Amino acid sequence: MKSKDIEEAKARASAMLRRARIVITPSERENMEVADLGFGDLKNLGIQIIVYENNDRYCAKELILFPRQICPEHRHPRVNDRNPGKKETFRCRSGEIYLYVAGEPTPRPKARVPKKYRSFITAWHEITLRPGNQYTLPPNSLHWFQAGDKGAIVSEFSSTSTDENDLYTDPRLRRVKK
Amino acid sequence: MKSKDIEEAKARASAMLRRARIVITPSERENMEVADLGFGDLKNLGIQIIVYENNDRYCAKELILFPRQICPEHRHPRVNDRNPGKKETFRCRSGEIYLYVAGEPTPRPKARVPKKYRSFITAWHEITLRPGNQYTLPPNSLHWFQAGDKGAIVSEFSSTSTDENDLYTDPRLRRVKK
């Protein structure tokens, strides 16, 4: 991504946090991860992340999604004998998020997915999260999500985060930092 | 505690969350833990807690402290071979909190501790947390904290929480649910 686009995304995400009264430090703003996953289409596909803490025991992040931005389908597989894969809880703080997991497909889902990304989505069981709602994903379960029309801020609580182990359904996707 | 006092504390804590734009569900409000630790002096000593998630891997809570309320000195000792004790991160969301850990005592600390509780405080190294600031405590480290004049809301991210293992410096203290 161009540094101008990254700065623009950081400014936009920071403004959303301010509106939601979520305070971050200047250094957290500076280190915000803007992930377009190599697609160069951040408006539709990608995510902004502030990592509050990631240590050997647990992890906590704030996820900021622009209106209708999609975090594409992936899972967190088993890492080793002591780590059966990342377990994570998404708690919606503001806006609205449509989370999709394996299971009975939801008729008339709320997500709107551009055609070019549809072929790499397989999970269509919908969970709608509004402020105060949360959902915990077991390790290694497929999931993806899209923010509603006003975007969303989601607190992620989880076991230790090791992005390099994530497996995306779309083999073209990769997690690129900044 | 009398159920009237518990209800009053819940209402007060809920109002603080509302002012900070932190949304909780009716069931989270209902299940809010109001802990006076058996002292019957909630105004000065105690804490209000909403447990968002506590599973085999991690835990996330919102701590609500009334103005100048003290969470007394304690530590989270080793539980077994796989759990060296709870590790936790305090992130201030609103208000101000004075956190005390072992180390060089801070001259003129900001905390104001009623005489009757002073004898069971040993850690006086002060860390002031304002919105956006956070601090991670290693397992088994002594700590206590007091909210500032306007109270405080603190997100706690941690490894699995097992309150029954907590060790308080004051042997009179016990963790009483509701």
Side-chain angles (χ1 to χ4, degrees), chain B residues 4-177:
Chain B
K4 184 184 148 284
D5 294 338
I6 294 173
E7 281 315 308
E8 209 173 281
K10 283 185 186 177
R12 201 177 169 195
S14 300
M16 287 178 64
L17 289 168
R18 260 196 312 277
R19 274 197 298 277
R21 305 279 196 284
I22 295 173
V23 182
I24 58 169
T25 63
S27 124
E28 285 169 337
R29 186 193 191 284
E30 181 53 37
N31 293 316
M32 186 190 301
E33 183 183 352
V34 177
D36 74 351
L37 300 127
F39 258 76
D41 182 22
L42 189 69
K43 186 179 172 288
N44 291 306
L45 187 138
I47 189 164
Q48 294 64 237
I49 303 175
I50 292 171
V51 181
Y52 289 146
E53 176 72 15
N54 186 23
N55 62 42
D56 59 320
R57 311 279 294 276
Y58 55 87
C59 178
K61 302 176 180 180
E62 216 77 78
L63 314 178
I64 305 104
L65 289 140
F66 300 143
R68 290 289 169 181
Q69 204 179 24
I70 291 171
C71 176
E73 190 174 281
H74 65 285
R75 58 190 171 89
H76 309 287
R78 179 181 175 283
V79 175
N80 55 40
D81 276 356
R82 287 169 52 191
N83 184 350
K86 188 188 179 207
K87 181 169 176 170
E88 58 192 10
T89 300
F90 294 128
R91 183 178 179 88
C92 183
R93 298 291 197 165
S94 82
E96 195 167 87
I97 192 167
Y98 316 122
L99 171 66
Y100 296 88
V101 299
E104 189 65 35
T106 299
R108 291 175 300 282
K110 297 191 189 83
R112 291 200 309 257
V113 181
K115 220 172 237 167
K116 59 180 164 181
Y117 300 128
R118 262 180 236 166
S119 51
F120 292 101
I121 286 178
T122 65
W124 281 103
H125 183 75
E126 182 177 273
I127 296 142
T128 299
L129 299 178
R130 298 193 178 93
N133 298 147
Q134 64 179 47
Y135 189 84
T136 297
L137 289 159
N140 206 20
S141 54
L142 275 177
H143 60 285
W144 66 280
F145 45 91
Q146 182 178 44
D149 290 334
K150 295 177 179 176
I153 298 174
V154 176
S155 291
E156 181 189 295
F157 316 124
S158 74
S159 57
T160 306
S161 188
T162 55
D163 296 339
E164 66 277 16
N165 294 310
D166 295 354
L167 290 177
Y168 287 88
T169 304
D170 185 337
R172 295 168 299 179
L173 290 178
R174 61 183 196 279
R175 182 71 165 269
V176 182
K177 288 228 174 191

Side-chain angles (χ1 to χ4, degrees), chain A residues 88-119:
Chain A
E88 58 193 9
T89 301
F90 294 128
R91 183 178 178 88
C92 184
R93 299 291 198 164
S94 83
E96 196 167 86
I97 191 167
Y98 315 122
L99 171 66
Y100 296 87
V101 298
E104 189 66 34
T106 300
R108 291 174 300 281
K110 296 192 189 83
R112 292 201 308 258
V113 181
K115 220 172 238 168
K116 59 179 164 180
Y117 301 129
R118 262 180 236 165
S119 51

Side-chain angles (χ1 to χ4, degrees), chain A residues 25-81:
Chain A
T25 64
S27 123
E28 285 170 337
R29 186 193 191 282
E30 180 54 36
N31 294 316
M32 186 189 300
E33 183 183 353
V34 177
D36 74 351
L37 300 127
F39 257 76
D41 182 22
L42 189 69
K43 185 179 173 289
N44 291 305
L45 187 137
I47 190 165
Q48 294 65 237
I49 303 175
I50 292 172
V51 181
Y52 289 146
E53 176 71 16
N54 186 21
N55 61 43
D56 58 321
R57 311 279 294 277
Y58 55 88
C59 178
K61 302 175 180 179
E62 216 77 79
L63 313 179
I64 304 105
L65 288 141
F66 300 142
R68 291 289 170 180
Q69 204 179 24
I70 290 171
C71 176
E73 190 174 281
H74 66 285
R75 57 190 172 90
H76 309 287
R78 179 180 175 282
V79 175
N80 56 40
D81 277 355

Side-chain angles (χ1 to χ4, degrees), chain A residues 37 71-75 166-171 173-175:
Chain A
L37 300 127
C71 176
E73 190 174 281
H74 66 285
R75 57 190 172 90
D166 294 353
L167 290 178
Y168 287 88
T169 305
D170 185 337
L173 289 178
R174 61 184 195 279
R175 183 71 166 267

